[in-house]
Amino acid sequence: MLTFEQKQAIIESFPGLTKKEISLNRVNYHFENSLYEKTIVVEKLHPNGNGFVFVGDLLRYEKEANDKGLVNIRDYDEMQLREIVEDAITYLSEEVVVEEPTVEDWRNREGDKLDLVCEQRSWNVYHGENLEETFGTYDAAKAYLLEEGFRKKN
């Protein structure tokens, strides 16, 4: 396993990433040139070696990523770490062209309606024209809606 310092050196070798210290001696690395609202590439890198890289809904990482699109890099070696950070930067710097957005109708028992809309690389939950929540993956948005008592109608 790479040390905290080794991981930092590898991550800091990527141009365009900005280090920001957060609580408990952890650090985040932001990609300020992100085309999306999401800018954090490396999240909560801790001196114990734990940390996460945002990969969104990249199919390559679907088995490793949690519902927020984050992959734990605790046991990554240098090659794996370089590869995933590069993939994350590419993910945030490529514009996705969606000809027609995906829209799903979700309703609860009271008949309230929410729309789940895929726009660019985000899954947005709308109540009418008002944005309620935004998620990095479909699974995270679906889990939220189910938890709130909504079911897919279309």
Side-chain angles (χ1 to χ4, degrees):
M1 181 173 81
L2 297 169
T3 66
F4 177 66
E5 292 76 18
Q6 289 170 320
K7 286 180 182 173
Q8 283 188 298
I10 292 166
I11 294 163
E12 290 173 9
S13 73
F14 287 89
L17 293 183
T18 305
K19 178 181 176 180
K20 296 190 179 180
E21 294 183 11
I22 59 173
S23 62
L24 304 172
N25 296 319
R26 298 174 300 174
V27 293
N28 287 343
Y29 287 89
H30 292 254
F31 179 59
E32 303 299 339
N33 293 325
S34 175
L35 297 177
Y36 307 96
E37 190 173 319
K38 178 74 173 177
T39 64
I40 300 175
V41 170
V42 180
E43 190 170 308
K44 299 174 184 160
L45 184 63
H46 190 276
N48 69 9
N50 208 27
F52 301 89
V53 173
F54 176 74
V55 295
D57 58 1
L58 284 174
L59 293 177
R60 179 178 186 178
Y61 299 101
E62 71 180 330
K63 291 182 180 167
E64 297 174 76
N66 66 18
D67 63 350
K68 294 180 181 177
L70 297 169
V71 173
N72 190 309
I73 57 167
R74 179 179 182 87
D75 297 322
Y76 272 41
D77 63 25
E78 180 177 354
M79 188 175 76
Q80 291 171 308
L81 182 57
R82 285 188 185 283
E83 198 170 302
I84 196 170
V85 170
E86 185 175 317
D87 288 345
I89 292 169
T90 300
Y91 182 82
L92 293 173
S93 60
E94 288 183 343
E95 190 166 344
V96 175
V97 178
V98 178
E99 294 192 19
E100 202 166 311
T102 301
V103 179
E104 294 181 356
D105 179 3
W106 289 70
R107 297 184 188 258
N108 65 10
R109 290 181 185 204
E110 291 78 35
D112 298 321
K113 179 181 182 278
L114 295 177
D115 291 317
L116 178 59
V117 182
C118 180
E119 299 171 307
Q120 298 296 331
R121 286 202 162 123
S122 296
W123 288 91
N124 298 316
V125 177
Y126 288 95
H127 180 256
E129 292 187 18
N130 296 322
L131 177 65
E132 295 292 321
E133 293 285 339
T134 297
F135 299 90
T137 65
Y138 176 81
D139 288 341
K142 179 181 172 183
Y144 167 79
L145 288 164
L146 291 171
E147 204 172 281
E148 294 296 317
F150 285 82
R151 299 292 178 258
K152 185 176 167 182
K153 291 296 176 188
N154 56 350

